[in-house]
Amino acid sequence: MMTIRGTGIGESAAIGRLFWLAPVREGGAAVPVGSPAEEEARFLAAADAAQKELRALYEESRTTVGEEAAQIFAVHAMIAADEDFTELVLARIGTGESAENAVIEAAQTLAERFRAMDDEYLRARAGDFTDIAARLCDQLTGRESVRDLPDNSDPIIIAAHDLTPSQTVGLDRKRIAGFVTAAGSPGSHTAILARSMNLPALVGMGANDVLSVLDGRQVMLDAAAGELIVDPDSIKIAECRARMQAEQEAARVRSALRDLPAETCSGRRIRLGANIGLPREAAEAAALGADGVGLMRSEFLYLGAKQPPGEEEQLAAYRAAAEALGNQPLIIRTLDIGADKQVDYLNLAKEENPALGLRAIRLCLCGDRALFRTQLRAICRAAGERAAAGAAGQIAVMFPMITSPHELDDALDELYAVQAALDREGREIDPDLSVGMMIEIPAAALMAEQFAPKCAFFSVGSNDLTQYTLAVDRQNAAVAPLAAGAHPAVLSLIARTARAIHAEGGWCGLCGELAADPSMTQTLLDLGIDEFSVSPAHLLKIKEKIRSCT
Ligand code: PEP
Ligand code: MG
């Protein structure tokens, strides 16, 4: 037996024959096949064919894997038709590049832009560009992307250097029991998909050469342990089968939790909300029985756009998310963008230490406040509409990265001024609009008593609170093991935060990744957390845990 370690996605296990998926999508014609005009025509034809193929895949996969996962193909079709992308490719072809190289380089440029972003979700979107480039190269060269699976009924564990999101969603779930990749990270779109498809996986194994020579060997993939065991003995196999059976039973029990409340054994009702980026994810959260949305990362509406989304566009997005939730709460976090999240239209200066720089509320309150006011108007209008429709208090607003009381006062002044202006304009406003702030900076936790009287709730952003308390850059893989949200210093700041808001009659939420760690649920409840907000994939697991806590 040999064991190779990686980062586990999901908690299940699988046994099967390893199938090495050779990286046939790499490279392309190194030299142009024709003149720049001919290369341009080749590219445009390939882009057109790729769009058609992607639209067909979208329609087909809606019925097989569901709307949420199928959206990947719709997004990829948009990227294939994107003007910026096309311009970049054509500019490179103009300098004498082959269409293949131009596509790969343009995708790399855009992928790097996304990779430099602060937000894990957006960083993981970088893979979408690689995926599109691979598809376009396939069109240009006419290659098949995947060699055929062996012709027998054994379960298969795919091994690859990396898998693109569309390869992942296209995996035949009946034949493929899991996958392992040498590259990849737990926050990538591929990993997100694997979770939503319930496919156990190991990523970041860093063992390309080893994986390739294991083709055809029997392997056991243990996502919970982060291990790939090659040639497992009969004891290991029996253990694994027993676990898989237990997991199937646990998943069956969990799906029945969908309509049950997140309530502890001792009868304490905890709110279990979802973290979302785009409005369409609200419907998924609702379908999984979430108690609304505890964190809508509104910056997703801004990133990838050519200009800041206007009031009407944002209003439509917030309205759609709120309506998809019925009357359940929708907590919209105001823009959390910074100099490290590259949004060309904001012309932000490059900073030495962007995590300590002009980010989130600091950016909103500095200089020209038009950006902030537009967003507040859209949020307040959406809340007013919902109030008029009988859902007063459904929409809440929260401010990120507040450090000092004057920042909260300033943000509140802007919010109330916007409410007053809307009222004067004769528009509906929500008299019950609830306002809170994120606790992400130790200074805010230490001064929570000063913030609490002005807030209906706090939501602890444990990702940043951990980063700033422990001096551990959340983007730096080398120090990732030090970023323990369970550190006593972080926990004591959380306890203090909850105490302060409870003393004023408010509630305390937690929307960082710590909320999705079931081994922490009881401790967090004991520290006074009233609401957990987690990505939709973690909802039922945490609900189950809450229901076993006291
Ligand atoms: C956090 O910091 O924990 C948080 C939820 O915000 P983000 O991850 O978007 O910075
Ligand atoms: Mg944060």
Side-chain angles (χ1 to χ4, degrees):
M1 283 199 307
M2 168 170 88
T3 302
I4 312 174
R5 296 198 58 80
T7 304
I9 305 300
E11 268 139 43
S12 15
I15 301 170
R17 295 247 160 239
L18 188 133
F19 180 82
W20 171 247
L21 202 61
V24 289
R25 289 180 160 214
E26 282 170 8
V31 286
V33 178
S35 67
E38 283 163 338
E39 290 296 295
E40 187 174 317
R42 282 181 70 225
F43 163 67
L44 292 174
D48 190 49
Q51 283 166 50
K52 288 195 180 107
E53 184 181 73
L54 284 160
R55 276 192 222 103
L57 271 169
Y58 167 63
E59 290 304 333
E60 188 188 311
S61 50
R62 285 169 80 179
T63 46
T64 51
V65 293
E67 177 67 32
E68 189 63 23
Q71 275 288 337
I72 283 181
F73 296 118
V75 170
H76 284 190
M78 273 161 55
I79 298 176
D82 182 74
E83 259 178 47
D84 281 350
F85 178 63
T86 307
E87 267 172 30
L88 274 177
V89 175
L90 295 183
R92 281 180 166 78
I93 289 177
T95 65
E97 292 277 9
S98 68
E100 285 90 336
N101 278 355
V103 160
I104 291 167
E105 285 170 19
Q108 270 167 1
T109 305
L110 293 174
E112 269 154 29
R113 247 180 239 171
F114 273 70
R115 228 169 260 130
M117 290 176 179
D118 188 29
D119 190 285
E120 195 183 330
Y121 178 90
L122 292 167
R123 271 203 310 280
R125 300 289 68 74
D128 292 345
F129 293 99
T130 321
D131 199 348
I132 276 292
R135 186 174 295 279
L136 287 168
C137 285
D138 284 348
Q139 288 291 346
L140 285 162
T141 57
R143 272 181 316 218
E144 284 297 316
S145 58
V146 175
R147 73 180 162 109
D148 287 339
L149 295 177
D151 215 5
N152 57 43
S153 57
D154 286 351
I156 288 164
I157 310 276
I158 295 280
H161 171 67
D162 204 358
L163 281 182
T164 63
S166 58
Q167 279 177 315
T168 309
V169 86
L171 294 177
D172 177 358
R173 203 58 192 88
K174 286 196 211 81
R175 302 270 337 258
I176 293 165
F179 68 82
V180 296
T181 59
S185 70
S188 70
H189 213 153
T190 295
I192 292 169
L193 273 169
R195 283 189 205 100
S196 75
M197 292 163 75
N198 249 331
L199 199 60
L202 293 171
V203 297
M205 301 189 77
N208 224 4
D209 299 341
V210 182
L211 291 177
S212 69
V213 297
L214 294 177
D215 190 47
R217 301 271 284 273
Q218 191 176 46
V219 292
M220 186 181 129
L221 187 176
D222 186 341
E227 288 177 349
L228 181 75
I229 300 170
V230 184
D231 300 331
D233 60 24
S234 53
I235 300 174
K236 274 273 172 212
I237 292 179
E239 260 174 37
C240 181
R241 291 209 197 288
R243 253 189 51 206
M244 281 155 63
Q245 257 180 8
E247 271 157 21
Q248 273 171 8
E249 177 56 17
R252 199 186 56 74
V253 171
R254 232 178 244 160
S255 66
L257 290 176
R258 190 173 305 208
D259 300 319
L260 294 177
E263 190 175 274
T264 64
C265 295
S266 34
R268 180 171 157 211
R269 179 70 162 93
I270 305 300
R271 230 178 44 218
L272 180 59
N275 292 350
I276 67 165
L278 294 169
R280 61 176 163 76
E281 292 168 275
E284 189 197 346
L288 284 165
D291 299 319
V293 163
L295 166 66
M296 179 174 186
R297 289 181 161 104
S298 68
E299 58 272 14
F300 284 23
L301 302 172
Y302 292 70
L303 295 159
K306 293 209 176 68
Q307 56 193 35
E311 186 176 321
E312 296 301 327
E313 187 181 339
Q314 288 190 59
L315 170 64
Y318 304 142
R319 180 197 291 136
E323 284 175 357
L325 294 172
N327 282 359
Q328 298 276 22
L330 169 66
I331 302 180
I332 303 171
R333 170 174 80 182
T334 60
L335 191 56
D336 181 1
I337 216 167
D340 56 324
K341 290 186 189 171
Q342 298 181 21
V343 183
D344 292 345
Y345 53 77
L346 290 182
N347 296 318
L348 299 172
K350 182 133 184 49
E351 294 177 305
E352 276 291 315
N353 293 301
L356 304 180
L358 198 59
R359 183 186 158 185
I361 199 71
R362 301 172 180 184
L363 177 71
C364 289
L365 295 177
C366 89
D368 176 10
R369 297 197 176 184
L371 191 73
F372 191 37
R373 288 186 189 136
T374 301
Q375 178 170 44
L376 292 177
R377 277 182 66 89
I379 296 174
C380 291
R381 281 180 62 192
E385 279 186 9
R386 295 300 294 153
Q394 183 194 4
I395 292 184
V397 55
M398 75 175 166
F399 302 116
M401 294 279 294
I402 298 274
T403 315
S404 304
H406 69 84
E407 289 168 323
L408 178 62
D409 293 342
D410 212 350
L412 287 172
D413 286 348
E414 288 290 354
L415 178 73
Y416 297 137
V418 161
Q419 289 265 71
L422 290 172
D423 197 26
R424 279 196 304 277
E425 291 165 28
R427 294 188 193 271
E428 301 284 353
I429 55 165
D430 182 356
D432 297 334
L433 180 77
S434 118
V435 186
M437 63 178 257
M438 292 193 68
I439 300 286
E440 303 185 276
I441 298 182
L446 291 168
M447 296 173 75
E449 297 80 2
Q450 292 192 40
F451 293 109
K454 295 168 187 165
C455 292
F457 64 92
F458 286 152
S459 186
V460 177
S462 57
N463 307 337
D464 278 316
L465 188 61
T466 305
Q467 153 163 276
Y468 295 125
T469 305
L470 305 182
V472 172
D473 179 354
R474 63 190 271 196
Q475 307 231 77
N476 183 347
V479 290
L482 300 176
H487 192 290
V490 178
L491 296 181
S492 98
L493 291 173
I494 294 176
R496 184 175 184 137
T497 299
R499 264 200 312 274
I501 195 81
H502 289 160
E504 295 293 332
W507 55 269
C508 189
L510 173 65
C511 60
E513 287 303 303
L514 197 57
D517 178 354
S519 72
M520 290 303 297
T521 311
Q522 180 71 64
T523 305
L524 293 165
L525 289 170
D526 293 342
L527 294 181
I529 294 299
D530 306 292
E531 181 234 37
F532 291 71
S533 192
V534 299
S535 71
H538 292 128
L539 278 167
L540 292 178
K541 178 182 75 180
I542 295 300
K543 186 186 280 190
E544 185 178 42
K545 183 69 200 183
I546 289 172
R547 290 178 62 84
S548 74
C549 287
T550 53

